[in-house]
């Protein structure tokens, strides 16, 4: 079945540091890929998405590129802020278009 | 536009008692999901509705869990009787066709 593997946290960075959170997936066909973010005390919010190979999703300075050859969708940001502290979830929706399958989440803490 | 609304936000009950969670999806969204999120884990699908039909309930523990979506709008998830291991966050999400899912803030259940 479909699965998502993302790097374990917590990840602790200083403000303005470069961020990478790795995500790889296993799925048949051509899934859609997503990054969701969960800020403290809030629900999951869609951060960005990509629906086909080589697509780049971007939002709020975050980017991720759908790499089919490496089955990856790594999240990057060039300069993190304290306000980016949250838990980040990589997810996929299979080509049958049904449920979302999530990774276990990566907690990011950004120090001033 | 209002997002996905869940209630209650928090619930504490004694084991063996019943509990119910309510979800109001985004207007016009035909697909509704209930996810379970254990501490430190990613959400896992419990049940998915297309309009009023449960199209995927394979992960719903049917001996104690039940769900309904009357008239294809609001949905209720029930646990009877609750067990200590049911303590978790219960997330509701909705989407239009196979587009991205929008999540509510969740209900945090504590069974004591």
């Amino acid at each position: 079945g479909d699965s998502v593997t993302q790097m374990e946290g917590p990840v602790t960075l200083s403000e303005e540091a470069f961020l990478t959170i790795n995500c790889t997936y296993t799925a048949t066909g051509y899934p859609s890929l997503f990054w969701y973010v969960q800020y403290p005390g809030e629900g999951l919010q869609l951060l960005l998405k990509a629906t086909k190979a080589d697509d780049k999703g971007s939002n709020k300075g975050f980017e991720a590129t759908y790499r089919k050859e490496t089955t990856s969708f790594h999240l990057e940001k060039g300069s993190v802020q304290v306000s980016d502290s949250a838990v980040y979830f990589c997810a996929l929706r299979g080509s049958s278009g049904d449920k979302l399958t999530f990774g276990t989440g990566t907690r990011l803490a950004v120090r001033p | 536009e209002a997002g996905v609304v869940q209630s209650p936000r928090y619930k504490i009950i004694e084991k063996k008692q019943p509990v119910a969670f309510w979800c109001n999806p985004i207007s016009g969204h035909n697909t509704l999901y209930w996810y379970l999120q254990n501490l430190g884990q990613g959400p896992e699908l419990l049940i998915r509705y297309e309009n009023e039909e449960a199209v995927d309930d394979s992960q719903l523990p049917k001996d104690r869990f039940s769900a309904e979506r009357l008239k294809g709008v609001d949905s209720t998830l029930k646990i009877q009787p609750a067990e200590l291991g049911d303590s978790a966050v219960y997330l509701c999400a909705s989407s239009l066709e196979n587009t991205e899912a929008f999540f509510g803030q969740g209900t945090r259940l504590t069974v004591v």
Side-chain angles (χ1 to χ4, degrees):
Chain A
D2 297 344
S3 67
V4 175
T5 302
Q6 58 182 107
M7 64 187 290
E8 293 188 13
V11 174
T12 303
L13 296 172
S14 297
E15 204 165 25
E16 299 184 0
F18 183 84
L19 168 71
T20 299
I21 300 178
N22 291 337
C23 171
T24 58
Y25 67 89
T26 301
T28 55
Y30 300 91
S32 295
L33 301 174
F34 306 84
W35 277 100
Y36 280 82
V37 58
Q38 191 170 36
Y39 297 104
E42 299 186 15
L44 286 164
Q45 301 175 25
L46 179 66
L47 180 60
L48 53 84
K49 67 176 182 179
T51 58
K52 61 183 187 295
D54 299 325
D55 267 3
K56 177 184 284 188
S58 61
N59 186 26
K60 299 182 180 180
F62 291 88
E63 293 183 339
T65 300
Y66 188 148
R67 302 285 189 199
K68 189 162 180 61
E69 63 276 14
T70 54
T71 62
S72 64
F73 193 54
H74 304 322
L75 182 68
E76 296 182 336
K77 186 175 185 181
S79 176
V80 294
Q81 305 300 312
V82 173
S83 58
D84 294 326
S85 297
V87 181
Y88 293 81
F89 292 92
C90 185
L92 70 83
R93 183 192 297 276
S95 51
S96 60
D98 47 19
K99 67 178 183 180
L100 282 169
T101 299
F102 286 85
T104 55
T106 302
R107 181 176 299 277
L108 170 66
V110 181
R111 301 178 302 224
Chain B
E1 179 181 342
V4 176
V5 179
Q6 291 187 245
S7 68
R9 287 290 312 277
Y10 305 92
K11 188 74 175 178
I12 301 174
I13 62 170
E14 294 183 345
K15 62 182 180 182
K16 301 184 181 180
Q17 294 302 305
V19 64
F21 314 125
W22 175 80
C23 173
N24 179 237
I26 292 173
S27 177
H29 281 192
N30 60 317
T31 304
L32 184 146
Y33 314 78
W34 282 102
Y35 280 85
L36 167 69
Q37 186 177 16
N38 286 304
L39 187 65
Q41 300 295 315
E44 298 175 3
L45 182 71
L46 287 173
I47 189 168
R48 177 171 67 96
Y49 284 92
E50 296 288 348
N51 300 304
E52 63 272 10
E53 181 184 0
V55 296
D56 183 356
D57 63 356
S58 57
Q59 301 303 309
L60 189 72
K62 298 180 184 64
D63 57 335
R64 297 184 301 106
F65 286 65
S66 64
E68 61 183 9
R69 189 183 185 197
L70 299 177
K71 301 181 181 179
V73 182
D74 293 0
S75 178
T76 303
L77 178 68
K78 298 179 181 178
I79 308 174
Q80 182 170 11
E83 297 179 351
L84 294 177
D86 297 331
S87 296
V89 177
Y90 293 82
L91 297 168
C92 180
S94 70
S95 69
L96 183 63
E97 301 293 336
N98 294 328
T99 60
E100 62 264 29
F102 293 83
F103 284 79
Q105 291 188 296
T107 295
R108 181 177 297 278
L109 173 67
T110 302
V111 182
V112 298

mmCIF file of all heavy atoms in Angstrom, chain A residues 34 36 38 41-44 46 49 89 93 96-105, chain B residues 9 33 35 37 40-43 45 48 56 91 95 98-105:
data_model
loop_
_atom_site.group_PDB
_atom_site.id
_atom_site.type_symbol
_atom_site.label_atom_id
_atom_site.label_comp_id
_atom_site.label_asym_id
_atom_site.label_seq_id
_atom_site.Cartn_x
_atom_site.Cartn_y
_atom_site.Cartn_z
ATOM 1 N N PHE A 34 1.723 16.407 -0.944
ATOM 2 C CA PHE A 34 1.338 17.569 -0.154
ATOM 3 C C PHE A 34 2.278 17.738 1.040
ATOM 4 O O PHE A 34 2.829 16.763 1.566
ATOM 5 C CB PHE A 34 -0.087 17.407 0.413
ATOM 6 C CG PHE A 34 -1.140 17.105 -0.613
ATOM 7 C CD1 PHE A 34 -1.373 15.810 -1.041
ATOM 8 C CD2 PHE A 34 -1.907 18.122 -1.139
ATOM 9 C CE1 PHE A 34 -2.353 15.520 -1.981
ATOM 10 C CE2 PHE A 34 -2.898 17.856 -2.074
ATOM 11 C CZ PHE A 34 -3.113 16.554 -2.497
ATOM 12 N N TYR A 36 1.596 19.497 4.771
ATOM 13 C CA TYR A 36 0.694 20.165 5.691
ATOM 14 C C TYR A 36 1.504 20.655 6.888
ATOM 15 O O TYR A 36 2.510 20.060 7.265
ATOM 16 C CB TYR A 36 -0.392 19.209 6.189
ATOM 17 C CG TYR A 36 -1.541 18.995 5.232
ATOM 18 C CD1 TYR A 36 -1.436 18.089 4.181
ATOM 19 C CD2 TYR A 36 -2.729 19.702 5.371
ATOM 20 C CE1 TYR A 36 -2.490 17.893 3.299
ATOM 21 C CE2 TYR A 36 -3.790 19.513 4.509
ATOM 22 C CZ TYR A 36 -3.669 18.600 3.465
ATOM 23 O OH TYR A 36 -4.714 18.418 2.600
ATOM 24 N N GLN A 38 1.141 22.060 11.029
ATOM 25 C CA GLN A 38 0.285 22.137 12.216
ATOM 26 C C GLN A 38 0.963 23.027 13.248
ATOM 27 O O GLN A 38 1.941 22.623 13.890
ATOM 28 C CB GLN A 38 0.043 20.737 12.774
ATOM 29 C CG GLN A 38 -1.022 20.656 13.834
ATOM 30 C CD GLN A 38 -1.383 19.206 14.174
ATOM 31 O OE1 GLN A 38 -0.534 18.326 14.181
ATOM 32 N NE2 GLN A 38 -2.653 18.961 14.466
ATOM 33 N N GLY A 41 -1.585 24.191 18.831
ATOM 34 C CA GLY A 41 -2.978 24.442 19.176
ATOM 35 C C GLY A 41 -3.916 24.605 17.998
ATOM 36 O O GLY A 41 -5.092 24.938 18.192
ATOM 37 N N GLU A 42 -3.420 24.390 16.794
ATOM 38 C CA GLU A 42 -4.255 24.579 15.610
ATOM 39 C C GLU A 42 -4.386 23.288 14.813
ATOM 40 O O GLU A 42 -3.700 22.308 15.060
ATOM 41 C CB GLU A 42 -3.678 25.680 14.727
ATOM 42 C CG GLU A 42 -3.613 27.026 15.421
ATOM 43 C CD GLU A 42 -3.173 28.137 14.475
ATOM 44 O OE1 GLU A 42 -3.202 27.911 13.247
ATOM 45 O OE2 GLU A 42 -2.805 29.205 14.976
ATOM 46 N N GLY A 43 -5.283 23.313 13.853
ATOM 47 C CA GLY A 43 -5.475 22.161 12.990
ATOM 48 C C GLY A 43 -4.464 22.122 11.856
ATOM 49 O O GLY A 43 -3.662 23.033 11.681
ATOM 50 N N LEU A 44 -4.518 21.050 11.072
ATOM 51 C CA LEU A 44 -3.640 20.913 9.921
ATOM 52 C C LEU A 44 -4.015 21.917 8.847
ATOM 53 O O LEU A 44 -5.189 22.076 8.517
ATOM 54 C CB LEU A 44 -3.755 19.505 9.345
ATOM 55 C CG LEU A 44 -3.086 18.378 10.124
ATOM 56 C CD1 LEU A 44 -3.615 17.039 9.640
ATOM 57 C CD2 LEU A 44 -1.588 18.447 9.949
ATOM 58 N N LEU A 46 -2.972 23.125 4.809
ATOM 59 C CA LEU A 46 -2.203 22.812 3.612
ATOM 60 C C LEU A 46 -1.154 23.894 3.394
ATOM 61 O O LEU A 46 -1.475 25.087 3.347
ATOM 62 C CB LEU A 46 -3.130 22.728 2.400
ATOM 63 C CG LEU A 46 -2.438 22.432 1.078
ATOM 64 C CD1 LEU A 46 -1.834 21.032 1.091
ATOM 65 C CD2 LEU A 46 -3.406 22.582 -0.083
ATOM 66 N N LYS A 49 1.466 21.976 -2.493
ATOM 67 C CA LYS A 49 1.157 20.705 -3.126
ATOM 68 C C LYS A 49 1.793 20.646 -4.510
ATOM 69 O O LYS A 49 2.174 21.671 -5.085
ATOM 70 C CB LYS A 49 -0.347 20.512 -3.250
ATOM 71 C CG LYS A 49 -1.014 21.497 -4.208
ATOM 72 C CD LYS A 49 -2.496 21.201 -4.366
ATOM 73 C CE LYS A 49 -3.131 22.169 -5.355
ATOM 74 N NZ LYS A 49 -4.584 21.894 -5.548
ATOM 75 N N PHE A 89 3.929 17.855 8.099
ATOM 76 C CA PHE A 89 3.535 16.518 7.649
ATOM 77 C C PHE A 89 3.592 16.433 6.133
ATOM 78 O O PHE A 89 2.989 17.259 5.442
ATOM 79 C CB PHE A 89 2.104 16.185 8.088
ATOM 80 C CG PHE A 89 1.926 16.023 9.566
ATOM 81 C CD1 PHE A 89 1.565 17.106 10.351
ATOM 82 C CD2 PHE A 89 2.107 14.794 10.166
ATOM 83 C CE1 PHE A 89 1.396 16.960 11.717
ATOM 84 C CE2 PHE A 89 1.933 14.633 11.531
ATOM 85 C CZ PHE A 89 1.583 15.722 12.310
ATOM 86 N N ARG A 93 -1.775 11.596 -1.915
ATOM 87 C CA ARG A 93 -3.084 11.072 -2.317
ATOM 88 C C ARG A 93 -2.841 10.192 -3.520
ATOM 89 O O ARG A 93 -2.303 10.646 -4.526
ATOM 90 C CB ARG A 93 -4.053 12.203 -2.676
ATOM 91 C CG ARG A 93 -5.452 11.680 -3.016
ATOM 92 C CD ARG A 93 -6.313 12.766 -3.661
ATOM 93 N NE ARG A 93 -6.561 13.896 -2.788
ATOM 94 C CZ ARG A 93 -7.516 13.942 -1.877
ATOM 95 N NH1 ARG A 93 -8.300 12.900 -1.709
ATOM 96 N NH2 ARG A 93 -7.689 15.022 -1.150
ATOM 97 N N SER A 96 -5.737 6.762 -7.328
ATOM 98 C CA SER A 96 -7.163 6.462 -7.317
ATOM 99 C C SER A 96 -7.955 7.607 -6.707
ATOM 100 O O SER A 96 -9.190 7.608 -6.752
ATOM 101 C CB SER A 96 -7.440 5.177 -6.541
ATOM 102 O OG SER A 96 -7.006 5.322 -5.200
ATOM 103 N N GLY A 97 -7.271 8.568 -6.131
ATOM 104 C CA GLY A 97 -7.915 9.786 -5.664
ATOM 105 C C GLY A 97 -8.693 9.664 -4.386
ATOM 106 O O GLY A 97 -9.592 10.470 -4.135
ATOM 107 N N ASP A 98 -8.342 8.686 -3.553
ATOM 108 C CA ASP A 98 -9.146 8.540 -2.356
ATOM 109 C C ASP A 98 -8.502 9.210 -1.151
ATOM 110 O O ASP A 98 -8.447 10.415 -1.061
ATOM 111 C CB ASP A 98 -9.461 7.071 -2.105
ATOM 112 C CG ASP A 98 -8.238 6.178 -2.233
ATOM 113 O OD1 ASP A 98 -7.108 6.701 -2.153
ATOM 114 O OD2 ASP A 98 -8.403 4.968 -2.411
ATOM 115 N N LYS A 99 -7.987 8.451 -0.232
ATOM 116 C CA LYS A 99 -7.558 9.029 1.030
ATOM 117 C C LYS A 99 -6.175 9.654 0.950
ATOM 118 O O LYS A 99 -5.387 9.391 0.048
ATOM 119 C CB LYS A 99 -7.536 7.945 2.101
ATOM 120 C CG LYS A 99 -6.477 6.881 1.857
ATOM 121 C CD LYS A 99 -6.459 5.863 2.972
ATOM 122 C CE LYS A 99 -5.348 4.840 2.740
ATOM 123 N NZ LYS A 99 -5.314 3.833 3.828
ATOM 124 N N LEU A 100 -5.892 10.501 1.937
ATOM 125 C CA LEU A 100 -4.547 11.020 2.160
ATOM 126 C C LEU A 100 -3.799 10.074 3.088
ATOM 127 O O LEU A 100 -4.337 9.637 4.102
ATOM 128 C CB LEU A 100 -4.613 12.399 2.813
ATOM 129 C CG LEU A 100 -4.936 13.599 1.944
ATOM 130 C CD1 LEU A 100 -5.212 14.809 2.810
ATOM 131 C CD2 LEU A 100 -3.812 13.877 0.972
ATOM 132 N N THR A 101 -2.551 9.774 2.726
ATOM 133 C CA THR A 101 -1.668 8.985 3.596
ATOM 134 C C THR A 101 -0.581 9.917 4.095
ATOM 135 O O THR A 101 0.096 10.569 3.290
ATOM 136 C CB THR A 101 -1.051 7.809 2.833
ATOM 137 O OG1 THR A 101 -2.103 6.952 2.372
ATOM 138 C CG2 THR A 101 -0.114 7.012 3.723
ATOM 139 N N PHE A 102 -0.410 9.969 5.422
ATOM 140 C CA PHE A 102 0.510 10.919 6.030
ATOM 141 C C PHE A 102 1.774 10.256 6.540
ATOM 142 O O PHE A 102 1.764 9.081 6.927
ATOM 143 C CB PHE A 102 -0.164 11.609 7.230
ATOM 144 C CG PHE A 102 -1.197 12.616 6.861
ATOM 145 C CD1 PHE A 102 -2.501 12.240 6.606
ATOM 146 C CD2 PHE A 102 -0.866 13.962 6.785
ATOM 147 C CE1 PHE A 102 -3.462 13.180 6.274
ATOM 148 C CE2 PHE A 102 -1.816 14.908 6.456
ATOM 149 C CZ PHE A 102 -3.112 14.526 6.199
ATOM 150 N N GLY A 103 2.859 11.036 6.578
ATOM 151 C CA GLY A 103 4.039 10.650 7.328
ATOM 152 C C GLY A 103 3.812 10.921 8.806
ATOM 153 O O GLY A 103 2.757 11.412 9.207
ATOM 154 N N THR A 104 4.827 10.624 9.605
ATOM 155 C CA THR A 104 4.680 10.751 11.055
ATOM 156 C C THR A 104 4.864 12.172 11.563
ATOM 157 O O THR A 104 4.622 12.446 12.730
ATOM 158 C CB THR A 104 5.674 9.840 11.779
ATOM 159 O OG1 THR A 104 6.992 10.136 11.304
ATOM 160 C CG2 THR A 104 5.365 8.375 11.523
ATOM 161 N N GLY A 105 5.291 13.080 10.692
ATOM 162 C CA GLY A 105 5.459 14.464 11.098
ATOM 163 C C GLY A 105 6.870 14.765 11.565
ATOM 164 O O GLY A 105 7.549 13.896 12.130
ATOM 165 N N ARG B 9 -13.940 20.854 21.284
ATOM 166 C CA ARG B 9 -12.492 20.902 21.090
ATOM 167 C C ARG B 9 -11.781 19.923 22.009
ATOM 168 O O ARG B 9 -10.766 19.325 21.632
ATOM 169 C CB ARG B 9 -11.956 22.307 21.362
ATOM 170 C CG ARG B 9 -12.278 23.337 20.309
ATOM 171 C CD ARG B 9 -11.511 23.082 18.988
ATOM 172 N NE ARG B 9 -10.093 22.826 19.153
ATOM 173 C CZ ARG B 9 -9.172 23.764 19.278
ATOM 174 N NH1 ARG B 9 -9.504 25.033 19.282
ATOM 175 N NH2 ARG B 9 -7.890 23.428 19.405
ATOM 176 N N TYR B 33 -13.946 13.248 5.697
ATOM 177 C CA TYR B 33 -13.050 12.256 6.282
ATOM 178 C C TYR B 33 -13.028 12.418 7.806
ATOM 179 O O TYR B 33 -13.077 13.533 8.324
ATOM 180 C CB TYR B 33 -11.606 12.467 5.809
ATOM 181 C CG TYR B 33 -11.387 12.706 4.341
ATOM 182 C CD1 TYR B 33 -11.637 13.940 3.771
ATOM 183 C CD2 TYR B 33 -10.863 11.702 3.525
ATOM 184 C CE1 TYR B 33 -11.395 14.180 2.427
ATOM 185 C CE2 TYR B 33 -10.620 11.929 2.181
ATOM 186 C CZ TYR B 33 -10.888 13.166 1.638
ATOM 187 O OH TYR B 33 -10.641 13.390 0.300
ATOM 188 N N TYR B 35 -10.238 11.324 10.642
ATOM 189 C CA TYR B 35 -8.899 10.803 10.874
ATOM 190 C C TYR B 35 -8.641 10.712 12.373
ATOM 191 O O TYR B 35 -9.147 11.519 13.167
ATOM 192 C CB TYR B 35 -7.839 11.725 10.274
ATOM 193 C CG TYR B 35 -7.620 11.580 8.789
ATOM 194 C CD1 TYR B 35 -8.421 12.264 7.870
ATOM 195 C CD2 TYR B 35 -6.605 10.768 8.293
ATOM 196 C CE1 TYR B 35 -8.200 12.133 6.507
ATOM 197 C CE2 TYR B 35 -6.383 10.643 6.931
ATOM 198 C CZ TYR B 35 -7.181 11.320 6.048
ATOM 199 O OH TYR B 35 -6.969 11.187 4.696
ATOM 200 N N GLN B 37 -5.480 10.870 15.119
ATOM 201 C CA GLN B 37 -4.084 11.265 15.248
ATOM 202 C C GLN B 37 -3.613 10.961 16.663
ATOM 203 O O GLN B 37 -4.007 11.642 17.610
ATOM 204 C CB GLN B 37 -3.883 12.744 14.920
ATOM 205 C CG GLN B 37 -2.419 13.148 14.911
ATOM 206 C CD GLN B 37 -2.187 14.599 14.529
ATOM 207 O OE1 GLN B 37 -3.102 15.412 14.537
ATOM 208 N NE2 GLN B 37 -0.956 14.924 14.163
ATOM 209 N N GLY B 40 2.332 12.272 18.500
ATOM 210 C CA GLY B 40 3.596 12.055 17.806
ATOM 211 C C GLY B 40 3.495 11.291 16.504
ATOM 212 O O GLY B 40 4.503 10.888 15.935
ATOM 213 N N GLN B 41 2.265 11.111 16.032
ATOM 214 C CA GLN B 41 2.053 10.367 14.790
ATOM 215 C C GLN B 41 1.309 11.211 13.767
ATOM 216 O O GLN B 41 0.725 12.247 14.101
ATOM 217 C CB GLN B 41 1.250 9.100 15.074
ATOM 218 C CG GLN B 41 1.912 8.143 16.041
ATOM 219 C CD GLN B 41 3.191 7.576 15.478
ATOM 220 O OE1 GLN B 41 3.258 7.162 14.316
ATOM 221 N NE2 GLN B 41 4.240 7.562 16.289
ATOM 222 N N GLY B 42 1.326 10.739 12.533
ATOM 223 C CA GLY B 42 0.526 11.390 11.515
ATOM 224 C C GLY B 42 -0.911 10.897 11.565
ATOM 225 O O GLY B 42 -1.192 9.834 12.127
ATOM 226 N N PRO B 43 -1.830 11.649 10.993
ATOM 227 C CA PRO B 43 -3.238 11.224 10.979
ATOM 228 C C PRO B 43 -3.418 9.926 10.188
ATOM 229 O O PRO B 43 -2.752 9.705 9.183
ATOM 230 C CB PRO B 43 -3.948 12.388 10.277
ATOM 231 C CG PRO B 43 -3.025 13.554 10.423
ATOM 232 C CD PRO B 43 -1.655 12.982 10.402
ATOM 233 N N LEU B 45 -6.563 7.463 8.506
ATOM 234 C CA LEU B 45 -7.963 7.510 8.108
ATOM 235 C C LEU B 45 -8.795 6.482 8.874
ATOM 236 O O LEU B 45 -8.432 5.313 8.975
ATOM 237 C CB LEU B 45 -8.088 7.240 6.610
ATOM 238 C CG LEU B 45 -9.511 7.305 6.058
ATOM 239 C CD1 LEU B 45 -10.013 8.749 6.054
ATOM 240 C CD2 LEU B 45 -9.568 6.710 4.653
ATOM 241 N N ARG B 48 -14.182 7.461 5.293
ATOM 242 C CA ARG B 48 -14.347 8.484 4.251
ATOM 243 C C ARG B 48 -15.742 8.395 3.667
ATOM 244 O O ARG B 48 -16.218 7.293 3.332
ATOM 245 C CB ARG B 48 -13.311 8.314 3.153
ATOM 246 C CG ARG B 48 -13.438 9.285 1.980
ATOM 247 C CD ARG B 48 -12.235 9.169 1.054
ATOM 248 N NE ARG B 48 -12.186 7.894 0.369
ATOM 249 C CZ ARG B 48 -12.659 7.667 -0.861
ATOM 250 N NH1 ARG B 48 -13.253 8.631 -1.512
ATOM 251 N NH2 ARG B 48 -12.542 6.477 -1.414
ATOM 252 N N ASP B 56 -15.188 4.181 2.356
ATOM 253 C CA ASP B 56 -14.013 3.499 2.896
ATOM 254 C C ASP B 56 -14.093 3.545 4.417
ATOM 255 O O ASP B 56 -13.849 4.588 5.008
ATOM 256 C CB ASP B 56 -12.722 4.145 2.409
ATOM 257 C CG ASP B 56 -11.478 3.404 2.897
ATOM 258 O OD1 ASP B 56 -11.606 2.436 3.673
ATOM 259 O OD2 ASP B 56 -10.371 3.816 2.499
ATOM 260 N N LEU B 91 -9.715 14.086 13.992
ATOM 261 C CA LEU B 91 -9.734 15.154 13.001
ATOM 262 C C LEU B 91 -10.801 14.892 11.948
ATOM 263 O O LEU B 91 -10.950 13.765 11.471
ATOM 264 C CB LEU B 91 -8.381 15.246 12.294
ATOM 265 C CG LEU B 91 -7.171 15.593 13.157
ATOM 266 C CD1 LEU B 91 -5.895 15.352 12.370
ATOM 267 C CD2 LEU B 91 -7.247 17.030 13.612
ATOM 268 N N SER B 95 -13.310 17.810 1.438
ATOM 269 C CA SER B 95 -12.735 18.219 0.157
ATOM 270 C C SER B 95 -13.820 18.173 -0.915
ATOM 271 O O SER B 95 -14.865 17.536 -0.743
ATOM 272 C CB SER B 95 -11.565 17.318 -0.244
ATOM 273 O OG SER B 95 -12.004 16.016 -0.569
ATOM 274 N N ASN B 98 -11.637 15.372 -5.767
ATOM 275 C CA ASN B 98 -10.319 14.866 -5.384
ATOM 276 C C ASN B 98 -9.309 15.977 -5.193
ATOM 277 O O ASN B 98 -8.114 15.780 -5.383
ATOM 278 C CB ASN B 98 -9.829 13.878 -6.442
ATOM 279 C CG ASN B 98 -10.681 12.634 -6.475
ATOM 280 O OD1 ASN B 98 -11.205 12.202 -5.459
ATOM 281 N ND2 ASN B 98 -10.832 12.059 -7.656
ATOM 282 N N THR B 99 -9.777 17.138 -4.792
ATOM 283 C CA THR B 99 -8.862 18.242 -4.517
ATOM 284 C C THR B 99 -8.324 18.141 -3.089
ATOM 285 O O THR B 99 -8.613 17.181 -2.383
ATOM 286 C CB THR B 99 -9.592 19.583 -4.698
ATOM 287 O OG1 THR B 99 -10.696 19.632 -3.791
ATOM 288 C CG2 THR B 99 -10.098 19.715 -6.132
ATOM 289 N N GLU B 100 -7.537 19.133 -2.687
ATOM 290 C CA GLU B 100 -6.918 19.039 -1.364
ATOM 291 C C GLU B 100 -7.958 19.055 -0.255
ATOM 292 O O GLU B 100 -9.020 19.643 -0.380
ATOM 293 C CB GLU B 100 -5.917 20.184 -1.143
ATOM 294 C CG GLU B 100 -6.515 21.567 -1.175
ATOM 295 C CD GLU B 100 -6.355 22.198 -2.552
ATOM 296 O OE1 GLU B 100 -6.316 21.451 -3.545
ATOM 297 O OE2 GLU B 100 -6.271 23.430 -2.614
ATOM 298 N N ALA B 101 -7.603 18.390 0.853
ATOM 299 C CA ALA B 101 -8.488 18.304 2.006
ATOM 300 C C ALA B 101 -8.214 19.459 2.965
ATOM 301 O O ALA B 101 -7.075 19.854 3.169
ATOM 302 C CB ALA B 101 -8.278 16.969 2.714
ATOM 303 N N PHE B 102 -9.299 19.978 3.554
ATOM 304 C CA PHE B 102 -9.209 21.024 4.560
ATOM 305 C C PHE B 102 -9.615 20.421 5.896
ATOM 306 O O PHE B 102 -10.653 19.750 5.986
ATOM 307 C CB PHE B 102 -10.130 22.196 4.192
ATOM 308 C CG PHE B 102 -9.706 22.925 2.955
ATOM 309 C CD1 PHE B 102 -10.063 22.459 1.705
ATOM 310 C CD2 PHE B 102 -8.942 24.075 3.048
ATOM 311 C CE1 PHE B 102 -9.666 23.123 0.556
ATOM 312 C CE2 PHE B 102 -8.546 24.758 1.903
ATOM 313 C CZ PHE B 102 -8.901 24.276 0.655
ATOM 314 N N PHE B 103 -8.819 20.696 6.904
ATOM 315 C CA PHE B 103 -9.013 20.064 8.209
ATOM 316 C C PHE B 103 -9.613 21.016 9.237
ATOM 317 O O PHE B 103 -9.337 22.227 9.210
ATOM 318 C CB PHE B 103 -7.676 19.554 8.751
ATOM 319 C CG PHE B 103 -7.195 18.301 8.099
ATOM 320 C CD1 PHE B 103 -6.581 18.345 6.860
ATOM 321 C CD2 PHE B 103 -7.371 17.074 8.708
ATOM 322 C CE1 PHE B 103 -6.139 17.185 6.238
ATOM 323 C CE2 PHE B 103 -6.940 15.907 8.106
ATOM 324 C CZ PHE B 103 -6.325 15.966 6.868
ATOM 325 N N GLY B 104 -10.398 20.451 10.135
ATOM 326 C CA GLY B 104 -10.838 21.177 11.306
ATOM 327 C C GLY B 104 -9.756 21.176 12.362
ATOM 328 O O GLY B 104 -8.683 20.597 12.173
ATOM 329 N N GLN B 105 -10.048 21.817 13.505
ATOM 330 C CA GLN B 105 -9.051 21.925 14.569
ATOM 331 C C GLN B 105 -8.937 20.655 15.391
ATOM 332 O O GLN B 105 -7.997 20.500 16.161
ATOM 333 C CB GLN B 105 -9.379 23.108 15.470
ATOM 334 C CG GLN B 105 -9.173 24.447 14.773
ATOM 335 C CD GLN B 105 -9.329 25.600 15.745
ATOM 336 O OE1 GLN B 105 -10.406 25.817 16.295
ATOM 337 N NE2 GLN B 105 -8.272 26.344 15.957
#
